[in-house]
Amino acid sequence: MSEQPVQADFPEHMLDLDEDEDLEVFSQNMSLAEGGPMPNSPGSMVNHYQLEEEAPVGGKDLFITVDNPESHVTAIETFITYRVLTQTTRSEFDSSEYQIRRRYQDFLWLRSKLEESHPTLIIHPLPEKFVMKGMVERFNDDFIQTRKKALHRFLNKIAEHPILSSSSHLKVFLTAEDLMPHRKQGPGFLSRMGETVRAVANSVRGVKSRPEEFTAMQEYVEDFGNKVASVDRVTQRIIKEQKEYLDELQQYSNTYTHWAGTEEQLKEPLKGVASCIEECSKETKEQIQHMSDVLIPTLHEYALCTETLKAVMRRRDNIQAEFETKNEVLASKKVDQEALQQEVDCLADRVELANNALRGDWTRWQNSMRSELKSAFVSTAEKNVDYYEKCLAVWETFLLSQRSEPGKQ
């Protein structure tokens, strides 16, 4: 069987983390005015259709909240910290409640440590370290609130994980007042360089006999990533076009209002049309806000998840490639057989552990992904129905008012 190339994967703990990388967003929220309540059309599907709520997961014993962002300005940098509140009944914690502050670099440290300890578990992604196109101010309110939600979700995904939630690194992150001493601990430069060299060597060498199930996983991830990224891009483009449409609606309403001031015989219907357009504008704002708050973050999150999954697959392949190399050396009988046999046996166990961890987490990830995407799609569909039904009700009310007063037209 031909060798399958493995891309090099460099865990974040091998690299130096710049202290000034506190920039990341899932999507830019739009600050929109809220419109007043509007009636649904009598035949609205929203009046008849309700999504079945999923039962809450019982037995949860670790509750984490990320809130209260604060800006810090020093002589050399400006950064944001977030309050992390933890409530727990777990016996390994010395207290039932903790309150600490963390910056984005601390979250990066936690994720890199979890990745280092569990290379083939699927660890929820952090948002990117850059500002997306359209974000003007570095630390504006939309950016900070979007980041806060993303970090809150990251920690709660870890807290819900059956293995990662018991990590000693997570406990340190949630409880230590000063994280810096822990961040300084870890492998030295030479050790990290050794890991990097081994990763590169394994990636060049490739695996000779990857199990079919993991090849199928890779193909699925590639296809899924392309699809979710495409839907993410199109949805963002739709939001952009909807915002442009909203601007046109507002100008449209003003035109009718000005016209009504110069046409006495058409004054009432013109004012009615202007009012309808204004009400529909309010509903359009809410629809855009809903897509920005619900659909876009979910799509973009799973676009990032595909990169996480690809990295996990590479690490699994690297572990197998190292095992295959040592096994070939053992078969050549040119070295100390007993010592190398022990190393090969350890690597065989490591491959098995890596495979089992990925198998279990893969099923768990797929179930979570399908549930969350379905929820986002259904919520968006409900909002679309609500939007069109409310706009329909506005125009129906206008028509009824005009038909009931034919003498005034």
Side-chain angles (χ1 to χ4, degrees), residues 230-247:
S230 177
V231 175
D232 182 25
R233 287 193 300 271
V234 173
T235 304
Q236 292 192 50
R237 187 163 66 245
I238 289 173
I239 288 178
K240 179 177 179 293
E241 293 171 355
Q242 284 287 81
K243 292 176 68 178
E244 293 172 353
Y245 169 67
L246 180 59
D247 291 339

Side-chain angles (χ1 to χ4, degrees), residues 158-220:
I158 295 173
E160 293 166 5
H161 196 283
I163 297 174
L164 298 177
S165 64
S166 299
S167 167
S168 60
H169 300 301
L170 176 62
K171 180 183 176 184
V172 167
F173 179 91
L174 297 175
T175 61
E177 284 291 335
D178 184 8
L179 199 59
M180 189 56 65
H182 301 278
R183 287 181 55 177
K184 290 180 178 179
Q185 295 176 4
F189 176 77
L190 292 178
S191 177
R192 285 181 290 166
M193 282 298 296
E195 291 182 39
T196 303
V197 170
R198 284 195 297 273
V200 171
N202 291 330
S203 69
V204 171
R205 188 180 301 112
V207 293
K208 292 185 176 180
S209 57
R210 180 191 298 125
E212 290 185 6
E213 62 180 310
F214 298 115
T215 298
M217 282 185 191
Q218 287 191 334
E219 293 172 352
Y220 177 91

